[in-house]
Amino acid sequence: MTDAPVMYPRKPQRIKGRSIAIIVFLSMAALFFCIPLYVLVVTSFKEMEQIREGAIFSLPARWTWEAWSYAWFDACSGLTCEGLRQGFWNSVAILGPSLVASIALSMVTGYALALWKMKWAGTFLFVLFLCAFVPFQIIMYPLIRLTVSLGIYGSMTAIVFVHTALALPVLTLIFRNFYKDIPEDIIKAAVMDSGSFWRIFIEIILPMSGNILIVVLIMQITSIWNDYLIGVTFGGLGTKPMTVHLANMVTVSTGTVSYNVNMAAALLTAIPPLVIYFVLGKFFVQGIAAGAIKG
Amino acid sequence: MPRVSFEHIVKRYGNVTVLDGLNLAVEDGDFLVLLGPSGCGKSTLLNLIAGLQDVTSGRIMIGERDVTELDPKDRGLSMVFQSYALYPTKTVEGNLRFGLSARKLPKAEVNKRVKWAADLLQLQPLMRRKPAALSGGQRQRVAIGRALVKHAEVLLFDEPLSNLDAKLRTEMRLEIKKLHDTLKPTIVYVTHDQIEAMTMATKIAVMNDGEIQQFGTPDDVYENPANLFVASFIGSPAMNLAAATLTVDGGQPLATFADGSAMSLTDAPFDNDVQPDREIMVGMRPEHFVMDATGSAAGHAAFELPVRMVERTGSDALISLDFAGEHLFVRAEPDRAVKIKSGDAVSVHYPIAKLNLFDVQTGQRL
Ligand SMILES: Nc1ncnc2c1ncn2[C@@H]1O[C@H](COP(=O)(O)OP(=O)(O)OP(=O)(O)O)[C@@H](O)[C@H]1O
Ligand SMILES: [Mg+2]
C-alpha cells in the first residue's frame, strides 16, 4: 500500500519467466479454494432436479432460497428436525462465555506475569510454553473424566470449560509478550501513583490492549466457532454446537442426499466467522503490525 | 518536609554489586543532586528510595519512618521519570488525576489540586490532549505536574531534562528551581549534566562505581574536590592536573614538576599534615589563572609557557599552554585571546591558595 507512490513513476516491467511461474502458481492456489466455494454457492441455490443432472458448474436454472430456509428451519440432525437454528444458538451460547472467560483469564495472567514481580514466574512461563504444544487428543480422556467428576459432562458448561482451558496457555503467552513491551517506566509510575493491581489493569493496561485484543478475538472466535471435536465430545443432547449439527445433517440423512441443503447448511455455518473477519479485519492487520506501543 | 537517609545500602543484581554499603542523608528541604558518570548507580538509588526495587541489605528512612519494606505507594513520594512515563491512553488531565488515585481524596480536593498544577505549569490549554500530541517540553511539564499534585514531601527526578534542547532545558531548570523555592519539598535529582547540578543543587553527591565520592554544597564540591575523581569529573573545562613530587625543604613544602620547575606550597591549602617525598597531582582550575602578570606576586605561582593553541568556546576562550609536555588550559577573555598565536610565550600567575593537591597513590586530597 505504502509504496504506491513509488510505483507510479516506474516503467511497467516486462513479465519475465519467473513472474509468470509465480502468477500461475498463485492463480492455481486461488482456484484451489475458489472452485469448491463456487460449487458450494451455486449448488445451494439450485433445485434438486437440476442437481441430479450432474452439471455441477452450471448456474442455477432458477435461483431459490428454498434449500437455505430448509437447512435453517427444517433439516434433520439426528432425531430432531428443527434445522440448524438450534445449533447456531448453541454455538453462540458457547462462544460468548468461552471468549470472555479465556480472554479475561489469560489477559490478567499475562499482565501479572509481564509487569508484576511474581515468584516462579519463569518456571510458570516455561510450563505454559510446554502446555501450548500438548495436542488436545492426548488430554481428551483425562478431560472427560475431569468433567464427569465435576458433574458438568454433556452440558454447555463443559464445552465452555474445555475451550477456556485449552486456550489459556497460548493466549497467556501472547498477552504476556505484548505487555512485556510496555515501557517499564509507565508501570513503575503507575505503581507509585496507585499501586493497585486491578486499578492499573483497568485504567492503564486495558486501554493499551486494543490491538492485541482484536487479534486474539479473531483467533478465538474462529477456533471456537469452527470447533467440532470438543463439541461432539463434551456436548450432550441439545447442547451441541452448529458444526456438530451440520455434520449430523450431512452424514446421517437417509435416502437421497439433498446436496443443495447440505451446501446451504455448510455456508450458514461458515458465515459468522467470515462476518467477523470483514468487520474486524482491518484492525486485525493493524494489531499484528503494531509490535511495540509507542507513547 | 522529611529528611531522607540511606544506611549501609547494599544492592546486588545476581553477583553484580551496584551499591556497596552506601550512606547518605538528605536534610529536609534540601535539593540534592546525584551526579556521576553513566552506570554508576544513580537510577538504582532512586528506584530504591521509591521502592521500585528492593535493597539487598540496609535501611532507608524517610523522616522518622523506616520505609525499607514499604510499598511504593505508601512511601509518600513521587517521581519524574527520565522517559516521562506518561500514560499514553489518558489525557493530560487523566494523567494528573491518576496520580491521586491511591489517596482516597474528596472529589473537590482532587479538582482543586489538578487545577493548581495545571495553572502552575501552564497546562490549561493542553488538558484534553493525549501525550502523543504534546511536545517534549510539554510532556515534561505534565510529568512534573503529575508528581506535584500528590503534594508529596519528597520528589525524585531521574534525568528529567536530558531529552530537551538547550534552550528548553535552561527554562525548565529555572522552573524546577522556582518550584523548589516556593514549595520547599525535599528533592533528589539525578543528572549527569554538571550545569544542572551546579545551578539547582543545595547539596551535591558525586557518585562513581556505586560509591559516594563527595557530598557537599556545589561550591564545596567545585572548589575543594575531595579526590582526583571529583576533581577531574567536576568542571568544564576540566581542572588541570599536573604530576609533581612533593618535598619538604627546611620546613617549606615544595612541588617539583616533570620539567624540573618548582613551586613553593607554603601557602597552599593542605587539609592534612604535609608528608614529604610523595607523588602528587597539582590541580589548577583554568579560570583562576591571572593573565599577563609580570614579575612575581605574593601568594602566586608564576608560569612562562609557550602557547599550543587557542580555542574560542562562546563567551570564553581557552588557551592551551605547553607545560612539561602536557596541556595546561587557561581561561582568557576572548578579546585578549585573539591577540595570542600558537608559539607565543605567555606568562600567567596562579593563586597558591586555590591549588588543589592530591596524593597520586590514594587519590585523596592532601
Ligand atoms: N537488572 C539489572 N541487572 C544487572 N545489572 C543491572 C541491572 N540494572 C542495572 N544494572 C547495573 O547497575 C549499574 C547501575 O545502573 P544505573 O541504572 O543505576 O546507572 P545510572 O547511574 O542511572 O546510569 P545512567 O546515567 O546511564 O542512567 C549499571 O552498571 C548497570 O549495568
Ligand atoms: Mg539512570
Side-chain angles (χ1 to χ4, degrees):
Chain A
M1 290 177 289
T2 45
D3 47 12
V6 187
M7 300 275 290
Y8 178 68
R10 264 204 249 158
K11 278 189 198 133
Q13 295 193 339
R14 221 173 295 141
I15 298 170
K16 301 208 187 74
R18 216 174 43 169
S19 38
I20 291 178
I22 291 175
I23 289 173
V24 169
F25 173 76
L26 288 179
S27 315
M28 279 169 58
L31 285 180
F32 188 75
F33 286 100
C34 287
I35 291 178
L37 187 65
Y38 168 78
V39 173
L40 209 64
V41 172
V42 290
T43 309
S44 71
F45 285 106
K46 286 178 186 171
E47 290 168 313
M48 274 311 288
E49 286 132 58
Q50 193 193 352
I51 293 172
R52 276 190 217 100
E53 289 164 12
I56 59 170
F57 292 109
S58 64
L59 285 172
R62 189 172 73 86
W63 291 78
T64 166
W65 284 100
E66 270 162 34
W68 287 76
S69 101
Y70 185 80
W72 183 251
F73 290 109
D74 307 308
C76 296
S77 149
L79 297 175
T80 52
C81 290
E82 294 179 337
L84 274 178
R85 277 180 298 170
Q86 200 203 350
F88 175 82
W89 291 115
N90 283 351
S91 275
V92 170
I94 291 168
L95 183 65
S98 303
L99 271 185
V100 172
S102 61
I103 292 181
L105 283 174
S106 55
M107 224 175 170
V108 174
T109 319
Y111 157 68
L113 280 172
L115 303 176
W116 290 79
K117 277 180 232 149
M118 280 178 41
K119 271 192 183 148
W120 304 108
T123 321
F124 188 66
L125 269 178
F126 184 67
V127 172
L128 275 184
F129 189 68
L130 289 184
C131 291
F133 286 103
V134 175
F136 169 57
Q137 285 82 349
I138 288 181
I139 52 168
M140 196 156 96
Y141 184 64
L143 272 177
I144 292 175
R145 296 299 303 263
L146 183 67
T147 45
V148 169
S149 66
L150 288 175
I152 54 173
Y153 182 78
S155 70
M156 211 85 95
T157 320
I159 304 180
V160 170
F161 173 78
V162 174
H163 272 305
T164 306
L166 290 182
L168 280 181
V170 172
L171 294 192
T172 305
L173 287 177
I174 290 177
F175 279 116
R176 184 256 175 202
N177 286 350
F178 182 79
Y179 290 144
K180 209 64 195 165
D181 282 344
I182 294 181
E184 199 186 1
D185 281 354
I186 289 185
I187 190 75
K188 282 186 178 174
V191 165
M192 288 185 75
D193 279 350
S194 157
S196 149
F197 182 90
W198 291 109
R199 183 144 202 166
I200 295 173
F201 179 69
I202 290 165
E203 286 205 37
I204 309 290
I205 301 300
L206 207 53
M208 293 170 84
S209 314
N211 287 333
I212 197 72
L213 257 180
I214 299 284
V215 174
V216 167
L217 260 180
I218 290 192
M219 271 176 52
Q220 279 298 91
I221 290 176
T222 320
S223 91
I224 295 174
W225 191 272
N226 291 342
D227 159 75
Y228 172 76
L229 193 53
I230 296 175
V232 80
T233 314
F234 293 90
L237 271 182
T239 61
K240 307 219 173 197
M242 199 173 186
T243 46
V244 177
H245 281 257
L246 173 68
N248 289 345
M249 194 179 288
V250 175
T251 52
V252 175
S253 41
T254 46
T256 55
V257 183
S258 316
Y259 288 109
N260 51 355
V261 175
N262 289 353
M263 303 295 167
L267 285 170
L268 277 171
T269 313
I271 282 171
L274 279 180
V275 171
I276 302 287
Y277 269 127
F278 286 128
V279 174
L280 299 180
K282 199 181 88 192
F283 303 108
F284 183 70
V285 177
Q286 283 173 1
I288 288 183
I293 301 155
K294 300 191 189 94
Chain B
M1 303 291 146
R3 152 182 210 274
V4 178
S5 65
F6 299 90
E7 297 168 11
H8 312 291
I9 297 293
V10 177
K11 174 67 188 172
R12 292 196 193 96
Y13 292 108
N15 50 15
V16 185
T17 305
V18 179
L19 303 175
D20 193 5
L22 180 135
N23 290 299
L24 182 66
V26 195
E27 299 306 327
D28 60 358
D30 253 356
F31 194 129
L32 172 74
V33 170
L34 288 174
L35 190 61
S38 193
C40 70
K42 307 180 297 289
S43 298
T44 306
L45 197 58
L46 274 202
N47 279 296
L48 292 179
I49 314 181
L52 299 169
Q53 282 169 10
D54 296 328
V55 294
T56 310
S57 72
R59 198 159 73 128
I60 301 171
M61 305 283 291
I62 296 179
E64 298 301 306
R65 293 185 303 156
D66 180 348
V67 299
T68 319
E69 301 294 326
L70 236 51
D71 264 359
K73 69 168 190 325
D74 299 325
R75 296 195 181 193
L77 31 78
S78 51
M79 179 154 170
V80 179
F81 292 84
Q82 178 168 7
S83 59
Y84 310 146
L86 299 179
Y87 308 124
T89 55
K90 286 191 176 294
T91 60
V92 168
E93 184 169 2
N95 267 277
L96 296 182
R97 279 181 190 282
F98 192 77
L100 296 169
S101 58
R103 294 129 211 259
K104 303 202 168 31
L105 292 172
K107 209 165 171 82
E109 175 66 14
V110 172
N111 291 339
K112 204 179 96 194
R113 288 203 196 175
V114 169
K115 185 175 178 313
W116 166 79
D119 288 343
L120 185 70
L121 296 161
Q122 295 159 26
L123 295 173
Q124 280 306 359
L126 312 173
M127 291 306 256
R128 303 258 146 256
R129 292 205 211 160
K130 298 261 174 79
L134 299 177
S135 74
Q138 292 166 336
R139 284 180 207 184
Q140 162 96 58
R141 297 211 303 266
V142 179
I144 294 177
R146 191 177 64 184
L148 288 182
V149 285
K150 293 204 254 178
H151 287 190
E153 298 172 311
V154 181
L155 276 171
L156 310 174
F157 289 83
D158 193 354
E159 305 194 32
L161 307 185
S162 56
N163 294 347
L164 305 184
D165 68 41
K167 181 166 176 288
L168 206 50
R169 198 177 321 189
T170 315
E171 281 170 25
M172 290 310 301
R173 216 160 61 202
L174 290 173
E175 292 292 326
I176 295 176
K177 187 76 188 141
K178 227 161 58 192
L179 276 175
H180 181 247
D181 289 343
T182 46
L183 303 175
K184 292 260 177 273
T186 307
I187 292 183
V188 182
Y189 187 106
V190 165
T191 181
H192 40 219
D193 182 315
Q194 296 189 22
I195 302 178
E196 270 174 42
M198 297 301 291
T199 51
M200 295 198 285
T202 59
K203 290 283 169 54
I204 291 182
V206 183
M207 286 181 75
N208 190 32
D209 283 340
E211 280 172 17
I212 304 282
Q213 302 290 326
Q214 187 171 3
F215 177 67
T217 63
D219 279 344
D220 199 27
V221 171
Y222 188 81
E223 297 295 351
N224 304 309
N227 55 38
L228 277 173
F229 174 81
V230 178
S232 55
F233 188 75
I234 303 278
S236 170
M239 181 187 283
N240 296 294
L241 289 167
T245 311
L246 175 65
T247 50
V248 177
D249 183 17
Q252 302 295 321
L254 195 72
T256 313
F257 294 100
D259 65 349
S261 62
M263 181 193 273
S264 162
L265 299 179
T266 312
D267 301 326
F270 282 99
D271 291 358
N272 307 297
D273 291 342
V274 183
Q275 309 244 339
D277 302 324
R278 338 172 128 240
E279 299 303 311
I280 61 167
M281 282 285 181
V282 177
M284 292 171 278
R285 289 263 176 224
E287 67 274 22
H288 291 329
F289 282 97
V290 183
M291 291 284 297
D292 301 320
T294 45
S296 61
H300 283 68
F303 298 88
E304 170 102 25
L305 299 167
V307 174
R308 278 186 170 177
M309 56 182 184
V310 180
E311 275 178 346
R312 175 82 197 254
T313 61
S315 58
D316 283 333
L318 209 56
I319 302 168
S320 163
L321 304 177
D322 185 343
F323 181 50
E326 301 286 329
H327 285 281
L328 184 77
F329 289 100
V330 173
R331 197 202 75 99
E333 293 299 325
D335 292 353
R336 177 70 187 87
V338 290
K339 299 192 193 109
I340 300 174
K341 290 185 296 297
S342 64
D344 290 0
V346 296
S347 65
V348 290
H349 280 181
Y350 193 87
I352 300 287
K354 298 210 160 165
L355 285 177
N356 290 283
L357 302 170
F358 303 96
D359 188 322
V360 170
Q361 222 149 51
T362 62
Q364 296 304 309
R365 184 181 187 82
L366 287 172

